[in-house]
């Protein structure tokens, strides 16, 4: 098994690189790039685990690491899930804390010679990550946030995902498909009958998710499939090439 194959294998949430792996990879590139998955620990209905966003972010990050010479980091597993507070199991930290954690990680990486950081965000409620990247870029640091909405839309189309990004808000076709592909043992029965649509969510920040759904689901998980999940990840990995070039000039 090659080094890239080992790094993309399913070792759970934690990368298995040694310090020598990182040293060797860094010697072969002009600009070292680290990839930080940021997930969450929040309700995803009765059939997907609380760690869904972390599993998705890690799946995207592993796909990237299999295709590009990047330094794969362990995930941030708890983030800003305040809109899900009405459901048991959900845990959040403040946006100020998440901002500080990502900024500290980036600073530590730079001290060790890794000049650029890509934050792979798996949770839509982590609005502050956009601010982190904007502020870092204004300071002259190399940082990017991935995937953008355009990347998800391209992946949705290429994978044949039927549900729009507006409708596929939470625990829907996309997340269910990715986990059916990468972590099928984590998907419980019930997603086939849990579709729920609530496209007008203009008061979400005020009311939280409980103002729009009793089940915690907004989307059409019944349309999910492992085949779509695989295609989604492949498309996102292809889209990442433009980010890699922007950060490295290659």
């Amino acid at each position: 098994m090659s080094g890239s194959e080992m790094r993309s294998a399913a070792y759970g949430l934690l990368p298995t690189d040694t310090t020598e792996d990182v040293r060797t990879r860094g010697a072969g590139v002009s600009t070292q790039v680290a990839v930080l998955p940021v997930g969450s620990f929040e309700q995803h209905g009765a059939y997907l685990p609380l760690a869904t966003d972390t599993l998705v972010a890690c799946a995207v990050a592993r796909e990237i690491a299999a295709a590009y010479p990047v330094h794969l980091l362990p995930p941030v597993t708890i983030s800003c899930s305040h809109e899900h507070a009405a459901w048991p199991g959900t845990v959040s930290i403040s946006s100020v804390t998440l901002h500080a954690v990502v900024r500290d990680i980036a600073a530590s990486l730079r001290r060790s010679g890794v000049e650029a950081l890509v934050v792979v965000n798996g949770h839509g409620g982590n609005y502050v990550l956009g601010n982190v990247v904007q502020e870092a870029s204004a300071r002259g640091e190399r940082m990017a946030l991935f995937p953008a909405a355009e990347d998800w839309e391209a992946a949705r189309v290429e994978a044949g995902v039927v549900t729009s990004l507006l409708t596929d808000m939470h625990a829907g076709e996309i997340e269910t498909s990715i986990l059916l592909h990468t972590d099928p043992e984590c998907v419980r029965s019930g997603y086939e009958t849990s579709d729920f649509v609530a496209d007008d969510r203009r008061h979400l920040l005020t009311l939280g998710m409980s103002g729009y759904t009793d089940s915690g689901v907004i989307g059409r998980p019944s349309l999910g499939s492992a085949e779509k999940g695989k295609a989604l990840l492949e498309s996102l990995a292809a889209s990442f090439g433009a980010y890699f070039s922007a950060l490295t000039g290659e």
Side-chain angles (χ1 to χ4, degrees):
M1 182 180 287
S2 70
S4 62
E5 288 172 338
M6 288 180 65
R7 293 175 63 232
S8 63
Y11 288 115
L13 301 183
L14 300 179
T16 59
D17 279 343
T18 68
T19 188
E20 290 305 315
D21 293 330
V22 177
R23 190 194 311 276
T24 300
R25 190 179 313 114
V29 297
S30 58
T31 302
Q32 293 191 65
V33 178
V35 173
L36 175 67
V38 178
S40 72
F41 201 71
E42 65 186 36
Q43 70 85 20
H44 276 77
Y47 50 88
L48 294 183
L50 294 163
T52 290
D53 289 343
T54 300
L55 293 170
V56 169
C58 286
V60 174
R62 286 197 304 268
E63 199 81 10
I64 290 170
Y68 302 89
V70 298
H71 178 29
L72 181 59
L73 300 174
V76 175
T77 58
I78 297 176
S79 59
C80 303
S81 301
H82 310 283
E83 70 273 30
H84 298 278
W87 281 270
T90 298
V91 182
S92 290
I93 57 176
S94 73
S95 61
V96 174
T97 299
L98 182 58
H99 188 296
V101 167
V102 175
R103 184 171 177 176
D104 283 357
I105 289 171
S108 178
L109 287 165
R110 289 193 301 275
R111 288 192 293 271
S112 66
V114 181
E115 302 96 330
L117 175 64
V118 178
V119 179
V120 174
N121 182 33
H123 172 49
N126 289 335
Y127 311 113
V128 70
L129 293 178
N131 298 112
V132 175
V133 173
Q134 284 181 324
E135 293 167 15
S137 299
R139 292 191 298 269
E141 301 163 11
R142 299 184 188 185
M143 192 180 295
L145 181 62
F146 182 81
E150 293 84 354
D151 302 311
W152 278 117
E153 178 60 18
R156 184 189 72 81
V157 172
E158 291 182 28
V161 170
V162 177
T163 317
S164 71
L165 294 183
L166 173 63
T167 299
D168 193 60
M169 189 262 187
H170 191 70
E173 186 176 1
I174 287 177
E175 290 183 321
T176 301
S177 292
I178 290 176
L179 263 63
L180 284 172
H181 169 56
T182 61
D183 300 274
E185 70 282 358
C186 292
V187 182
R188 301 188 186 185
S189 61
Y191 72 90
E192 306 90 342
T193 57
S194 295
D195 291 5
F196 182 78
V197 174
D199 284 351
D200 186 347
R201 303 185 296 271
R202 69 188 73 187
H203 303 299
L204 178 66
L205 297 181
T206 301
L207 301 177
M209 285 285 288
S210 61
Y212 295 93
T213 171
D214 292 331
S215 67
V217 178
I218 297 180
R220 295 191 177 100
S222 68
L223 300 176
S225 72
E227 293 74 19
K228 291 177 182 177
K230 183 175 186 292
L232 284 161
L233 293 176
E234 290 174 348
S235 176
L236 291 173
S239 293
F240 182 77
Y243 293 77
F244 187 79
S245 296
L247 290 171
T248 64
E250 298 178 4

